[in-house]
């Protein structure tokens, strides 16, 4: 067992645990244990009017289980979360395979697609789809025109509509994660399969995706958990049509109180914690067989692409279709809304109304301009922190060093914290630290906690592919832990780390719920003007700001991506 | 694999370290100055405040006003009047602001000197984070828009009512009264915001002017109209009406459809008698870090000068001598011959639990 080899190198450390692991656990523990305690406390306490904990109670759990139509909601929640995970995985996997394993034309554009769709502010993305697919939206209008009658022909305010939009939202995560996995997959296996007479689909099923099993499972787990606790899509898409899931009940109750009662949201977080623990247990069993998935070995490894041959043309069509669905439709809807003085569905008549007024208003707004700079700092710092911490933690987990399971559990925790609970927990902590409260630095640290689960997963899945013989060889050649990690592991991990950085950067700059509660007078510009406009502005101005935002974020992300890929060390 | 190390020890150690790091010495903030000047009525009041504020140099204003449209101009106006001041602001919606204020108060680390918002008057008082204050400017305001015990002062009004899509509804077919909303032709065509300031406030308003029993009968009828709950702000609901997704909404801030209609949007406000009228207020924390500047800022905010900034920003000033802009008067009840259904801050908060229960009983399906 490799873990024995590695921990065996430190015979002097007590309990077989190295100081570096202790430091890592400390860092993760400081980040995740206080909000965990807050979550658990808040789930079993009522609150005083001043916000402090009152007596213990199980009322929050009681409320969830006895809410009207709880079992229908629960059933809907499971279908919705599972459906979203499946859809995100299907779209993401198709994109990743095309981009990394084939010679399909224009495949690099799939990265731009993923980046743009992550750059669009979350809620705006949802609203764009609602406007496009809604009762008065273009699709229903077109169908009414084709088939007569008044419709509506499709009802977006349904479980199907929710799965569609949530699945779209998470497909870039699936794409970025799987693309880094595919990038390091050894083509020799696929070639062997083809030589033995396996068809392309059979090779795909048994070899390409077979090797990506840990990544597929990890992704399904991430999206399933995030969808289970998501509120925006269920509320904006499902609720008007009468489709309820567990979170709609919980969060709606929460917003109908002043101050918002986080008790039931915390109780939900605790329940999700249990679900996640079970899922992680199965995931742990899968990654225990990690040796099956190692493709980066000491032998010359060639991450070569598959020649598509006659499949080339249908695949090109697919490459054109994916961006249309994932990005172009919502983006065009946003641009259309931004150019109009008020929203109306696509029409010839509307063309005469198009003006740049909303854009001018946004670009000349002093607070919006300030927001961009601070947001870039927030995003870049958070992404760097998460990627660095994730790389070390992911390696420890994948190599199953002593304490690795604790690291895994700690780093996965933030996944179940509802943003509003995490924000409140840190507000209560940071307000005591006079120097940190309200600063940009505090926003960066808290964001890093929120996104560490992704950092860990990206890196861990990357390490699983790397055979430990490379590290052992370095050890034999006299390299210590740090230099083995920096000179052997990191260069091989670069594709995963680039994807991770991008994903976290784009997620951190658009996350509002978390930073709103922590922003003070000195970090006031971060995301606040967006939220302000969001709540008070007409859709045109929101769309204009959202579009400008998307362009800027896309520009920085693509620049980072191109630079990172250019200076990446050659593999193999 | 070795698992002989008790792994729980690490988080415990981490927590202990964190506890030491954040607990630190907690100081009770000094309130001697604010105790004296918050309600001071002496002739030298203004001189005292200006001299004190000069030494403090800054004031931090928490508000839910729109940043570019109102918050910046108002803060700039204050700075123009007192050039030695360097004011800062934090923009938040009511829930986040209340959570911040409560956390600051409990940690004895108050950052806010003054705050202004809608619907926080009672929750803030219940939390014990505000104190009564007096400003000479308050005397100009009529009784119904003053706090009975000086815990808040009104800064601006909002008028709420229906709005409709003019492509889908002809003006003569639009509902005129609350009873008209029960017409079966609206079934499935109405939307509202499923928030405290949306559907819940609508229910409180109806209860206030109809009386409990009639209101309950009315709301039971209304619930048969299958009103679509939109989990967004009232503004976002108006945008859905404009897009043609729904014909009618019940709870718009009436100036929103006016602003959009001016740009050509197919939407019109429909104030219904009596028109629901809300006020927003300024409040004073228990221990503002810059007490002199805080009082000076409150004076400015509710003075004619400060209120004119609200007017310029298309808000409805609370000061009786500062009217709203002319084109906004079509929804001000006193200007169009309708009655006001004033929902006081106390009513809004105290009736919330019952209205919420009615909402969940009748409208959540």
């Amino acid at each position: 067992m490799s873990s024995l080899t590695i921990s065996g190198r430190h015979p002097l450390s007590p309990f077989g645990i190295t100081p570096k692991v202790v430091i890592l656990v400390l860092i993760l523990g400081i980040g995740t244990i206080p909000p965990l305690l807050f979550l658990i406390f808040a789930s079993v306490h009522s609150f005083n009017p001043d916000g402090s904990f009152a007596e213990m109670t199980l009322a929050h759990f009681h409320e969830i289980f006895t809410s009207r139509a709880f079992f229908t909601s629960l059933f809907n929640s499971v279908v919705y979360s599972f459906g979203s995970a499946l859809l995100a995985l299907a779209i993401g996997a198709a994109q990743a395979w095309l981009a990394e394993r084939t010679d399909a034309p224009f495949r690099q554009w799939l990265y731009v697609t993923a980046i743009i769709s992550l750059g669009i502010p979350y809620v705006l993305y949802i609203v764009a789809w609602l406007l496009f697919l809604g009762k008065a939206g273009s699709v229903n209008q077109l169908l009414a025109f084709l088939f007569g009658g008044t419709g509506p022909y499709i009802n977006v305010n349904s479980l199907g509509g929710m799965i569609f939009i949530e699945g779209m939202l998470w497909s870039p995560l699936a794409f970025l994660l799987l693309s880094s996995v595919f990038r390091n997959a050894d083509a020799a296996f696929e070639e062997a399969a083809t030589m033995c007479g396996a068809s392309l689909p059979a090779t795909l099923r048994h070899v390409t995706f077979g090797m990506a099993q840990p990544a597929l499972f990890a992704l399904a787990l991430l999206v399933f958990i995030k969808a289970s606790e998501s509120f925006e899509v269920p509320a904006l898409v499902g609720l008007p049509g009468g489709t309820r899931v567990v979170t709609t009940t919980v969060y709606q109750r929460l917003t109908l109180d002043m101050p918002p009662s986080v008790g039931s949201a915390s109780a939900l977080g605790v329940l999700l914690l249990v679900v996640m623990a079970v899922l992680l247990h199965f995931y742990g069993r899968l990654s225990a067989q990690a040796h099956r998935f190692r493709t980066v070995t000491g032998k010359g490894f060639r991450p070569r692409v598959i020649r598509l041959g006659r499949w080339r043309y249908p695949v090109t069509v697919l490459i054109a279709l994916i961006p249309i669905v994932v990005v172009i439709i919502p983006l065009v809807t946003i641009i259309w809304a931004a150019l109009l003085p008020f929203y109306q569905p696509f029409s010839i008549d509307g063309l005469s109304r198009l003006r740049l007024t909303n854009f001018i208003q946004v670009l000349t707004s002093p607070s919006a301009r300030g927001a961009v700079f601070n947001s870039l700092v927030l995003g870049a710092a958070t992404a760097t922190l998460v990627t660095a911490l994730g790389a070390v933690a992911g390696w420890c987990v994948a190599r199953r060093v002593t304490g690795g399971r604790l690291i895994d559990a700690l780093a996965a925790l933030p996944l179940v914290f509802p943003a509003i609970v995490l924000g409140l927990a840190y507000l209560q902590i940071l307000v005591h630290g006079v120097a940190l409260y309200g600063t940009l630095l505090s926003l960066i640290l808290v964001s890093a906690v929120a996104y560490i689960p992704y950092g860990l997963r990206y890196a861990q899945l990357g390490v699983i592919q790397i055979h430990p013989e490379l590290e052992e060889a370095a050890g034999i050649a006299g390299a210590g832990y740090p230099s083995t990690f920096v000179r052997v592991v990191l260069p091989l991990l670069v594709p995963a780390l680039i994807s991770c950085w991008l994903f976290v950067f784009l997620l951190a700059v658009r996350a509002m719920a978390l930073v709103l509660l922590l922003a003070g007078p000195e970090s006031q510009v971060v995301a606040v003007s967006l939220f302000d406009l969001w709540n008070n502005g007409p859709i045109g101005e929101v769309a204009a700001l959202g579009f400008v935002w998307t362009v800027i974020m896309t520009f920085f992300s693509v620049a980072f991506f191109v630079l990172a890929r250019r200076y990446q060390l050659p593999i193999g | 694999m070795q698992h002989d190390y008790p792994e729980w020890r690490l988080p415990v150690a981490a927590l202990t370290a964190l506890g030491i790091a954040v607990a630190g010495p907690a100081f009770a903030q000094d309130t001697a100055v604010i105790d004296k000047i918050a309600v001071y009525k002496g002739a030298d009041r203004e001189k005292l405040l200006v001299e004190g504020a000069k030494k403090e140099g800054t004031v931090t204003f928490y508000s839910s006003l729109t940043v570019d449209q109102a918050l910046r101009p108002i803060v700039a106006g204050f700075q123009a009047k007192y050039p030695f001041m360097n004011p800062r602001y934090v923009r938040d919606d009511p829930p986040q602001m209340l959570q911040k204020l409560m956390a600051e108060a409990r940690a004895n680390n108050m950052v806010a000197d003054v705050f202004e918002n809608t619907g926080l008057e009672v929750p803030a008082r219940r939390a014990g984070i505000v104190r009564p204050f007096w400003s000479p400017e308050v005397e100009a305001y009529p009784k119904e828009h003053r706090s009975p015990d000086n815990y808040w002062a009104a800064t601006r009004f909002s008028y709420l009512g229906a709005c409709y899509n003019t492509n889908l509804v002809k003006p003569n077919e639009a509902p005129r009264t609350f009873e008209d909303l029960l017409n079966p032709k609206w079934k499935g065509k109405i939307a509202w915001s499923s928030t405290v300031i949306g559907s819940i406030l609508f229910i409180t308003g109806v209860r206030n002017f109809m009386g409990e029993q009639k209101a309950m009968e009315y709301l039971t009828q209304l619930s048969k109209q299958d009103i679509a709950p939109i989990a967004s702000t009232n503004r976002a609901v108006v945008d859905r009406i404009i897009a043609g997704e729904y014909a009618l909404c019940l709870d718009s801030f009436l100036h929103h459809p006016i602003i959009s209609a001016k740009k050509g949007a197919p939407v019109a406000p429909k104030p219904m008698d009596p028109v629901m009228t809300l006020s927003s207020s300024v409040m004073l924390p228990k221990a503002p870090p810059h007490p002199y500047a805080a009082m000076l800022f409150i004076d400015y905010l509710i003075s004619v000068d400060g209120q004119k900034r609200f007017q310029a920003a298309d808000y409805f000033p609370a000061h009786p001598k500062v009217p709203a802009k002319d084109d906004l008067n079509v929804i001000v009840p006193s200007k169009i011959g309708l009655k006001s259904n004033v929902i006081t801050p106390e009513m809004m908060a105290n009736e919330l639990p019952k209205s919420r229960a009615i909402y969940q009983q009748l409208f959540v399906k």
Side-chain angles (χ1 to χ4, degrees), chain B residues 117-123 126 143-148 151-157 201 204 277-283 342-352:
Chain B
N117 216 318
T118 313
L120 293 191
E121 295 85 351
V122 175
R126 273 189 205 141
K143 234 189 182 140
E144 68 261 33
H145 296 305
R146 282 175 62 176
S147 162
Y151 272 90
W152 50 266
T155 52
R156 50 183 159 128
F157 295 142
L201 189 59
T204 300
T277 306
L278 275 190
S279 60
S280 308
S281 316
V282 59
M283 280 159 277
V342 178
I343 307 295
T344 64
E346 287 77 13
M347 208 187 293
M348 189 174 158
N350 297 335
E351 299 305 326
L352 172 77

Side-chain angles (χ1 to χ4, degrees), chain A residues 365 428 437 522 524 535, chain B residues 68 88 91 93 104 106:
Chain A
S365 151
Q428 315 259 9
Y437 176 57
E522 303 308 330
Q524 187 47 200
N535 273 344
Chain B
D68 287 332
R88 311 185 301 171
R91 197 269 159 199
D93 278 343
E104 289 176 11
R106 286 199 297 128

Side-chain angles (χ1 to χ4, degrees), chain A residues 268-283:
Chain A
L268 187 69
V270 170
L271 295 176
L272 273 172
L273 197 65
V274 177
V275 174
M276 194 180 73
V278 174
L279 292 176
L280 272 182
H281 173 72
F282 287 110
Y283 178 65

Side-chain angles (χ1 to χ4, degrees), chain A residues 36-101:
Chain A
L36 174 70
L37 293 180
F38 183 84
L39 182 85
I40 294 170
F41 254 73
S43 73
V44 292
H45 281 88
S46 56
F47 290 83
N48 290 317
D50 70 347
S52 57
F53 290 122
E55 74 266 26
M56 267 187 91
T57 171
L58 286 176
H60 304 309
F61 288 97
H62 186 255
E63 196 182 307
I64 292 178
F65 288 116
T66 56
S67 62
R68 198 180 301 184
F70 170 72
F71 287 100
T72 320
S73 300
L74 185 66
F75 176 76
N76 285 343
S77 272
V78 173
V79 173
Y80 159 67
S81 309
F82 191 72
S84 307
L86 219 57
L87 182 65
L89 226 62
I91 299 175
Q95 282 176 291
W97 181 72
L98 290 171
E100 290 297 342
R101 305 301 298 154

Side-chain angles (χ1 to χ4, degrees), chain A residues 252-438:
Chain A
Q252 230 198 339
R253 178 67 184 74
L254 182 150
T255 56
L256 297 183
D257 246 339
M258 187 65 81
S261 57
V262 295
S264 41
S266 303
L268 187 69
V270 170
L271 295 176
L272 273 172
L273 197 65
V274 177
V275 174
M276 194 180 73
V278 174
L279 292 176
L280 272 182
H281 173 72
F282 287 110
Y283 178 65
R285 281 168 57 172
L286 183 70
S287 51
Q289 304 159 9
H291 57 274
R292 288 171 48 201
F293 308 106
R294 288 169 191 152
T295 62
V296 184
T297 66
K299 286 176 280 183
F301 119 91
R302 299 157 300 157
R304 231 179 33 202
V305 299
I306 295 172
R307 293 194 185 283
L308 285 170
R310 64 196 167 89
W311 289 88
R312 212 173 143 83
Y313 298 100
V315 161
T316 312
V317 173
L318 192 62
I319 287 192
L321 264 175
I322 292 173
I324 287 177
V325 177
V326 176
V327 163
I328 294 180
I329 290 175
L331 205 60
V332 167
T333 308
I334 291 168
I335 297 171
W336 176 258
L339 288 170
L340 283 169
F342 56 89
Y343 188 78
Q344 62 183 111
F346 293 111
S347 65
I348 305 289
D349 167 51
L351 286 175
S352 63
R353 289 211 174 86
L354 301 185
R355 299 282 182 279
L356 287 172
T357 323
N358 290 325
F359 283 104
I360 292 167
Q361 189 150 355
V362 165
L363 291 171
T364 53
S365 151
S367 49
R369 267 181 284 149
V372 172
F373 176 74
N374 269 303
S375 295
L376 287 175
V377 173
L378 170 70
T382 305
T384 309
L385 257 175
V386 166
T387 308
L389 207 56
V392 182
W395 182 82
C396 290
V397 172
R399 286 291 176 257
R400 317 187 76 200
V401 302
T402 311
R405 275 169 55 175
L406 181 62
I407 291 173
D408 196 8
L410 285 176
L413 271 182
L415 216 52
V416 300
F417 299 148
I420 185 166
V421 178
L422 185 65
L424 190 59
Y426 268 105
L427 172 66
Q428 315 259 9
I429 294 168
L430 290 167
V431 77
H432 289 275
V434 179
L436 263 186
Y437 176 57

